[in-house]
Amino acid sequence: MKKRIRNWFTLTVKKRLIAALLLFLIVPSITVGWLSYQKAADQVKMEIIRSAQAKTEMLSLQINQMLDMEKDNAAQMAAGITSNDIINKSPALQRQMDRMSQNHKELGVLTAGAEDGSWMKSPESEEQNYDPRERSWYTMGMSQDEPVISDTFQSASTGEWVVTAAVKLADGKGYSEPMSVSII
């Protein structure tokens, strides 16, 4: 038994050739495999990052385009409204707001407010204690000559997270907020 163990550890030409084969073929193969794996993993990671950046940029572009369109809608709607229309609760204005609300499913609640606190909404809601002049987007819209987009906030009417486009009325005595887009 001792002789067998001793023979096993004795370096013969055959054993030396096997050891050299292992050293010169297997070790480099393992090294090349490991380095290839590392390089491929880095490339996959970079491709995932590039793809995520491209999708984020595309989404940002689409959101900006949508907000620009809604600013244009706000300006167009406000151009035909006066504060007297809101104060007198004009049926023609209510029909116009209802039509816009029906044609633009992405909109939540359309609101128009006058300097005296009068307001109209579409879709019409129950009478509520509401003063548009107390809303941050009202003051923001009144302080600018061009349509503006608000920061994201939680709607008091619906509880959803929204952004709004606000613009002064044609007579400068109120605002139109024809956009309240839900953020999901």
Side-chain angles (χ1 to χ4, degrees):
M1 176 90 157
K2 286 184 179 180
K3 195 173 189 178
R4 275 189 172 168
I5 293 175
R6 218 180 293 153
N7 281 343
W8 178 252
F9 290 105
T10 309
L11 290 178
T12 62
V13 173
K14 179 181 175 183
K15 289 180 183 175
R16 287 181 186 168
L17 285 173
I18 291 173
L21 177 72
L22 290 175
L23 184 64
F24 292 119
L25 292 178
I26 294 179
V27 171
S29 296
I30 290 172
T31 304
V32 167
W34 176 253
L35 292 175
S36 297
Y37 169 78
Q38 289 297 324
K39 178 112 173 136
D42 289 344
Q43 286 177 341
V44 166
K45 182 179 177 181
M46 290 305 295
E47 187 57 36
I48 289 171
I49 290 171
R50 269 193 296 265
S51 174
Q53 286 173 336
K55 288 177 183 177
T56 302
E57 288 172 11
M58 180 62 84
L59 181 60
S60 178
L61 178 65
Q62 289 175 338
I63 289 171
N64 287 336
Q65 287 174 343
M66 183 184 80
L67 293 177
D68 287 343
M69 285 189 301
E70 297 307 336
K71 282 171 47 176
D72 291 343
N73 285 340
Q76 183 181 9
M77 185 171 168
I81 300 173
T82 64
S83 56
N84 286 334
D85 293 333
I86 299 167
I87 293 168
N88 297 327
K89 305 267 189 216
S90 165
L93 174 57
Q94 188 65 53
R95 283 191 302 274
Q96 179 185 359
M97 291 173 67
D98 290 342
R99 213 175 15 257
M100 186 169 196
S101 181
Q102 289 169 354
N103 292 335
H104 293 274
K105 300 297 183 201
E106 74 276 8
L107 302 180
V109 178
L110 280 68
T111 308
E115 232 176 16
D116 70 346
S118 301
W119 57 275
M120 295 175 70
K121 284 188 176 189
S122 179
E124 290 187 69
S125 57
E126 309 125 20
E127 196 63 33
Q128 51 181 278
N129 188 10
Y130 180 83
D131 188 348
R133 298 170 298 179
E134 296 173 359
R135 306 289 184 207
S136 62
W137 35 264
Y138 178 87
T139 56
M140 181 181 65
M142 290 299 289
S143 68
Q144 303 288 323
D145 290 330
E146 297 293 318
V148 291
I149 300 291
S150 72
D151 291 330
T152 305
F153 66 94
Q154 194 166 16
S155 169
S157 304
T158 64
E160 294 179 336
W161 288 95
V162 298
V163 295
T164 61
V167 64
K168 279 184 190 178
L169 297 178
D171 62 6
K173 295 181 180 178
Y175 81 102
S176 172
E177 182 229 348
M179 181 183 121
S180 179
V181 179
S182 299
I183 304 299
I184 298 175

